[in-house]
């Protein structure tokens, strides 16, 4: 394993960040290459836990000469977001200066030529240069896994329709409950930026690729056991795809979870601010009209309670982690079987 440290100067004198990049060189030029990163949203750590346990497994495979395709890993993809704390709270989703989500506004390239991207010392903000650098690192790989998590959540994947059903292997390896399938968004997440040049290729060449955002459960699901299990899932997938050779590992592709287009996801939003009392947990199957969540607007007076019900039957995929909400804020994702009346183009959340 080779460790590379990429320095990015900050936007003011005296400040810089380091991006730590781990590389395993493959022995087989025909084998697919894989890129894995975690914590693009600075405080999302389940993927970092998975990589923490995966990297020693890859080092063993490297010692035994079993790395077939190149593997690049960036365990902490966003040192800017990781360093954003305010009043003892970590705030790693939006950049403090611009309020832009760290996983939006990536450059969309038509080809794999990255020469038009801002260089490390371009006269661009650190966030823009960091995004360009992550894209430069990822694009030479056929497999790109961007490891995130939700607030309180089941384990699920975002996958472009072009990579389905081939990517059921990843969902099987990770034990995912659901796949949220998309065909276009307007927000240019990292996943979309990595998929964009692939989608310009002839269809037959797209099928061997794998580009995804992995949502490894919720923010607090950072544990030794889940980290190890997730590392094993990632390892199994990499073996299945031929990136690593390991005769002792086989993957049964038996994913039978939900595949839900983004427009079928019901985003349950708070009509007013207040205290949040959930009626159902993640993983619950609910009927249309079932009580989902009550927003208490006048504590002590039931007349102020606003109870939101399921717009259609489906499965509760996620809940917000906080229990005090603002008007209009997201509270839950429900996976429906038909288009949501509130469906809008673009990502589900800001
Ligand atoms: Zn995220």
């Amino acid at each position: 394993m080779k460790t590379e440290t990429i320095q990015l100067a900050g936007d003011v004198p005296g400040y810089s960040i380091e991006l730590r990049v781990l590389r395993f060189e493959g022995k087989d030029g025909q084998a697919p290459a894989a890129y894995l990163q975690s914590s693009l949203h600075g405080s999302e750590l389940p993927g970092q836990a998975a990589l923490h346990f995966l990297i020693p497994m890859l080092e063993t495979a490297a010692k035994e000469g079993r790395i077939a395709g190149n593997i690049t890993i960036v365990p902490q993809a966003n040192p800017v977001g990781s360093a954003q704390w305010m009043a003892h709270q970590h705030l790693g989703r939006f950049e403090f200066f611009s309020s832009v989500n760290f996983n939006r506004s990536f450059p969309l390239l038509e080809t794999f030529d990255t020469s038009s991207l801002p260089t490390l010392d371009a006269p661009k903000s650190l966030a823009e240069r960091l995004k360009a650098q992550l894209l430069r690192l990822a694009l030479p790989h056929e497999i790109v896994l961007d490891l995130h998590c939700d607030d309180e959540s089941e384990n699920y994947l975002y996958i472009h329709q072009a990579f389905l059903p081939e990517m059921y292997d990843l969902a099987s390896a990770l034990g995912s409950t659901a796949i949220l399938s998309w065909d276009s968004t307007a927000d240019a997440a990292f996943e979309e930026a990595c998929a964009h040049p692939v989608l310009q290729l002839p269809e037959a060449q797209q099928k061997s690729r794998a580009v995804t955002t992995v949502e490894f459960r919720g923010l607090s699901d950072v544990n030794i056991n889940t980290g190890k299990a997730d590392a094993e899932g990632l390892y199994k997938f990499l073996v299945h795809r031929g990136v690593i050779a390991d005769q002792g590992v086989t993957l049964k592709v038996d994913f039978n979870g939900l595949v839900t287009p983004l427009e079928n996801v019901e985003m349950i939003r708070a009509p007013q601010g207040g205290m949040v009392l959930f009626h159902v947990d993640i993983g619950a199957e609910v009927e249309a009209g079932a009580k989902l969540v009550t927003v208490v607007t006048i504590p002590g007076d039931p007349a102020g309670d606003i109870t939101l019900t399921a717009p259609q039957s489906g499965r509760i995929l996620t809940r917000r982690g906080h229990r005090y909400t603002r008007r209009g804020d997201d509270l839950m994702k429900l996976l429906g079987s038909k288009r949501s009346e509130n469906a809008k183009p673009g990502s589900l959340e800001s």
Side-chain angles (χ1 to χ4, degrees):
M1 181 181 85
K2 285 193 184 122
T3 303
E4 185 187 346
T5 304
I6 299 173
Q7 300 270 353
L8 286 92
D11 295 331
V12 292
Y15 173 66
S16 65
I17 62 161
E18 287 182 353
L19 204 55
R20 181 166 154 265
V21 181
L22 312 178
R23 294 183 191 274
F24 295 86
E25 198 177 331
K27 290 168 54 171
D28 177 358
Q30 301 301 311
Y35 174 87
L36 293 87
Q37 73 175 24
S38 77
S39 309
L40 181 57
H41 289 136
S43 57
E44 296 179 356
L45 296 171
Q48 204 173 109
L51 294 181
H52 178 67
F53 292 109
L54 176 67
I55 289 160
M57 296 167 77
L58 300 181
E59 287 186 290
T60 301
K63 278 191 199 113
E64 295 171 0
R66 295 189 287 105
I67 305 282
N70 291 334
I71 304 173
T72 304
I73 299 189
V74 183
Q76 194 176 15
N78 183 3
V80 182
S82 298
Q84 287 189 168
W85 296 74
M86 182 179 277
H88 297 254
Q89 301 275 337
H90 189 254
L91 301 167
R93 187 172 179 85
F94 301 92
E95 195 217 352
F96 274 179
F97 174 71
S98 63
S99 296
V100 172
N101 185 321
F102 282 113
N103 194 22
R104 302 285 184 270
S105 304
F106 274 84
L108 298 182
L109 302 173
E110 298 299 311
T111 71
F112 295 91
D113 177 4
T114 57
S115 58
S116 64
L117 292 177
T119 56
L120 287 176
D121 60 354
K124 296 279 185 184
S125 73
L126 177 56
E128 287 173 276
R129 286 178 286 123
L130 175 63
K131 286 174 185 175
Q133 182 56 35
L134 293 174
L135 202 49
R136 259 194 302 273
L137 286 167
L139 280 184
H141 303 75
E142 285 82 10
I143 294 168
V144 177
L145 309 184
D146 188 17
L147 309 181
H148 288 248
C149 69
D150 211 301
D151 264 30
E152 293 178 4
S153 175
E154 297 205 283
N155 172 347
Y156 70 98
L157 306 169
Y158 286 95
I159 300 179
H160 190 279
Q161 287 167 6
F163 306 122
L164 294 172
E166 285 74 13
M167 281 185 68
Y168 284 8
D169 56 356
L170 180 66
S172 303
L174 300 182
S176 307
T177 304
I179 292 170
L180 302 194
S181 71
W182 58 277
D183 59 359
S184 69
T185 79
D187 305 303
F190 179 74
E191 173 194 357
E192 188 174 2
C194 291
H196 197 74
V198 178
L199 298 170
Q200 319 307 316
L201 296 173
E203 214 176 298
Q205 290 178 38
Q206 297 175 17
K207 292 296 181 186
S208 60
R209 303 267 182 158
V211 181
T212 181
T213 306
V214 177
E215 299 286 352
F216 264 141
R217 306 178 203 82
L219 281 167
S220 298
D221 296 320
V222 185
N223 309 291
I224 293 168
N225 287 344
T226 48
K228 282 184 177 170
D230 292 340
E232 273 163 30
L234 292 169
Y235 181 84
K236 214 180 248 195
F237 169 72
L238 294 174
V239 171
H240 182 73
R241 286 284 176 132
V243 184
I244 305 166
D246 191 333
Q247 293 188 336
V249 170
T250 49
L251 173 64
K252 195 168 163 221
V253 180
D254 57 358
F255 173 71
N256 62 0
L258 294 167
V259 181
T260 304
L262 287 189
E263 62 264 24
N264 289 15
V265 180
E266 298 283 2
M267 294 294 287
I268 309 300
R269 295 195 169 92
Q272 288 189 38
M275 176 168 64
V276 177
L277 299 175
F278 287 115
H279 294 272
V280 288
D281 206 345
I282 56 171
E285 303 277 351
V286 299
E287 296 298 325
K291 285 182 184 176
L292 299 181
V293 55
T294 295
V295 179
V296 176
T297 63
I298 312 167
D301 183 354
D305 289 3
I306 305 170
T307 295
L308 305 176
T309 57
Q312 58 173 310
S313 64
R315 185 180 181 95
I316 305 300
L317 184 70
T318 72
R319 305 194 312 193
R320 289 302 297 275
H322 56 49
R323 295 295 182 269
Y324 187 47
T325 190
R326 292 171 65 94
R327 185 185 294 236
D329 206 358
D330 305 324
L331 295 175
M332 307 173 96
K333 292 190 194 80
L334 182 154
L335 303 182
S337 53
K338 58 181 191 224
R339 186 181 167 84
S340 164
E341 283 179 15
N342 299 315
K344 60 181 178 61
S347 301
L348 293 172
E349 53 220 340
S350 57

